[in-house]
Amino acid sequence: MTQSSDASFKSTADLPDSVGQPLGALLLSLADNKRLLGIRYADWILGAPTVEAGIACSAMAQDEWGHARIFYSMLKDFGYDPAALEHERPASEYHNSEILDADVSSWPELLALNFLWDTAISVQVEMLVDSRFEPIHYKVRKLLDEERFHFDHAHGWISRMMATEDARAALRDALGAAWNACLCWFGPENDDVVGALSDAGVVSGGSETARSRWLERVGRFASELDLAEGSEGAWTSAREVDWSDWSRERRRRTEGGPDEDSLARARGDRNRSLLMD
Amino acid sequence: MSTNGSRTGLADEQIYEVFSRKDRADRFEHIGTVTAPNRELARVYAWQTYDEAKWFEMTVAPRDAFTAVNLNQAPFTLGGSPPVGEGSVADSDSPPGYGTPTES
C-alpha cells in the first residue's frame, strides 16, 4: 500500500472514477486472459505426455475458469454487464494476450504459457493482495493458493526438460515466442492504467515493479535459454521490449483476438440454449 | 510392472505413494499413487489428482523409500504373498522389499 494513511475502499461505491475505471480495465484483462488460458490448458487434457500431466491440465483449466468467473462477476460493480462480457462480445473486444488467440501445437508451447504467462498474471494478481480496495482481498488470496501449483507444475516440467538438448531447444523456441508478449503485458513505464492504480494504492507497484517481480520468478530458467541475463534477484530481459503494435486499451497486440473456435468456447456458444442466468 | 517407467515408458519416472489426512487429529491414510519424474511434479500431481476432499495435509514419498517388514515384496502392491520365511520367495537372493513388485 503506497498511501497507508488513507482509508481503504470498502466497496466499489467508494472508488473515485479515476480508480474505478482503470481497476475495471485491469480486472477485465485478468478475466479474459484466465478464460482463454483455461481453454489452452483444456486442449491438453487428453494429449499431455502422461496421464498425470493431463489431470494437471484439467485441474489448471478448472482453476482458470473459476478465477475468470470471479473477475467477470466482480465487473458487475464496475458498470459492466457480466453476462454480455462472458457470452456476447466479438473477438475484437477481448483483452486476452495474442499468445492465447489460438491453440498451441506442442507441449513446450503449453509449458511456455504455463510458466511465463500464467506466472505473469499471478504476479499482477499478487499486487492486489494488500490493495486499498478491500473486497478483492479474500478472492485473490484463495486464487493465489491454487496458482502455486500451476507454477510448480511448469517449474517441475521445465527442470526435467532442461536436462536434454532436444527438449531444451524446443523450450528455447517456445519460451522465446511468448517472451515479448509477457514483458509487454505489465504495461509501458508510463502505463496509465497501472500507474493510476499504483498511485491510489490499489495495486502495490507500477508496471516496472511488476515486470521485475515476474523476471525474479522466471529469470533463472530464462537466462539458461538466453532470454534473460543478470543474476538471482536482479534479472533483466536479454531482449529489448518491442512495443510496436501494442494496444494500451486491450493490453495486447492491437490486431486480432481469439480465433473462431476459441471464441465460441470462451463465450460458451454451444451451451447458449442452456443458459439460466 | 516395474517401479520405473511403468506407465509412460519414460525412464526418469517413478511411482510416488500419496498419503493424506482431513484433520490434524486424523492419522495419515494411503490414498493412492502418482507417477512423476521428480518430487516437485509428484507434489503437484498428487494434489491435483486426489482432490476429492479438503485435505488438512498431504504428503508423497517415492515407493522405493519403503521397505517391506513382514511380506517378501515391495509394499503397496495388490495381492498377497507369503510372509518372509514361509514361501519359496523368501529363499531367493533378493532381500525383502527391494524386488520388482509381483505381477497381479
Side-chain angles (χ1 to χ4, degrees), chain B residues 76-93:
Chain B
F76 306 114
T77 51
L78 295 175
S81 88
V84 176
E86 286 183 20
S88 58
V89 195
D91 300 328
S92 74
D93 290 336

Side-chain angles (χ1 to χ4, degrees), chain A residues 94-161:
Chain A
Y94 271 77
H95 291 210
N96 63 282
S97 172
E98 61 271 17
I99 58 178
L100 300 173
D101 280 348
D103 60 358
V104 298
S105 58
S106 72
W107 185 245
E109 288 173 90
L110 195 269
L111 290 177
L113 298 181
N114 187 187
F115 186 58
L116 298 181
W117 191 255
D118 208 348
T119 303
I121 297 175
S122 292
V123 163
Q124 191 65 67
V125 171
E126 276 168 27
M127 298 179 85
L128 290 160
V129 166
D130 295 316
S131 177
R132 269 179 78 205
F133 180 58
E134 284 190 355
I136 210 164
H137 288 176
Y138 171 74
K139 288 167 177 159
V140 299
R141 287 198 178 116
K142 184 171 175 296
L143 179 162
L144 290 169
D145 281 347
E146 294 173 350
E147 288 292 339
R148 271 194 321 143
F149 286 94
H150 296 205
F151 181 80
D152 291 347
H153 179 266
H155 198 272
W157 263 100
I158 290 177
S159 310
R160 174 197 206 181
M161 291 176 67

